[in-house]
Amino acid sequence: MMVLLVAVVGVLALTVIAVSLLALRLARRVARLESRTDQADHSVRTGSGTARQVSAETEVGVEVSRPEPAEYLITRVGEIAAEDPEPVPALPPALFADVVARETMVRAASLVYGLRRALAPETRNRIRFEMRREVKRSRKQRRADLRTARREWEARQRQSLDDQASAA
């Protein structure tokens, strides 16, 4: 039982580490996307026809031409309107990682609780009792089926003997 507990704790520790690494990776990706969005918004606000994008991998500037907005544009992307509601607040990366870790820990704790209940001696004894009962019932059913089949076979044998005796 102790070995199982140590194994579960080890798996939980590895899960927490993996979730933490994923949260850090997600935070970096969000920061990169925010910086790209800020650069694009800045170029749209200044009215320049081209935007300068910097690749995160190579740090080389690339000129990208943007088409001039058409009159039939329905969306108001990039514009700040007074009637728009407040933007939904985003969780900081550390808080997001904390929420994910807590949810993971709650799930792991419920799994451990369920395993502890399933492996409890009372539960094992109840399962063993039910299995014995089911085995006894199936044996009785097989014996009854065998007796019925034997009676039918013997009746057919008697019938064929009677038919042979009456034909002779």
Side-chain angles (χ1 to χ4, degrees):
M1 184 67 178
M2 193 61 154
V3 173
L4 179 66
L5 183 62
V6 170
V8 169
V9 169
V11 168
L12 289 177
L14 288 175
T15 304
V16 169
I17 290 170
V19 168
S20 300
L21 290 175
L22 287 173
L24 287 173
R25 210 167 118 193
L26 179 65
R28 287 184 196 133
R29 188 177 289 172
V30 167
R32 260 195 321 237
L33 289 175
E34 285 176 352
S35 68
R36 287 182 186 169
T37 304
D38 291 342
Q39 288 174 358
D41 286 346
H42 178 67
S43 66
V44 169
R45 282 190 208 119
T46 58
S48 64
T50 62
R52 184 165 177 86
Q53 291 184 344
V54 177
S55 171
E57 292 84 16
T58 60
E59 298 294 322
V60 175
V62 178
E63 295 292 326
V64 178
S65 63
R66 293 185 182 259
E68 293 297 324
E71 290 184 28
Y72 58 85
L73 186 64
I74 300 171
T75 62
R76 291 181 277 155
V77 175
E79 296 177 10
I80 298 176
E83 67 270 1
D84 286 343
E86 263 187 49
V88 177
L91 290 176
L95 183 60
F96 177 76
D98 184 50
V99 168
V100 170
R102 285 184 189 198
E103 182 178 336
T104 304
M105 291 303 292
V106 167
R107 287 184 182 200
S110 64
L111 175 68
V112 169
Y113 174 75
L115 283 173
R116 193 177 68 215
R117 262 191 86 188
L119 297 175
E122 299 87 21
T123 306
R124 289 194 323 257
N125 289 336
R126 184 170 26 93
I127 291 170
R128 192 176 300 127
F129 172 76
E130 291 296 329
M131 289 296 293
R132 284 182 189 150
R133 215 164 84 174
E134 179 63 23
V135 167
K136 285 180 185 179
R137 186 201 62 76
S138 66
R139 282 181 188 156
K140 282 183 184 179
Q141 184 65 42
R142 267 198 315 270
R143 278 190 231 122
D145 292 343
L146 183 63
R147 279 194 297 267
T148 304
R150 188 179 298 134
R151 283 186 196 126
E152 290 175 2
W153 180 75
E154 288 172 352
R156 282 195 303 265
Q157 291 293 332
R158 280 193 302 268
Q159 182 67 34
S160 67
L161 286 176
D162 289 342
D163 289 343
Q164 287 177 358
S166 63

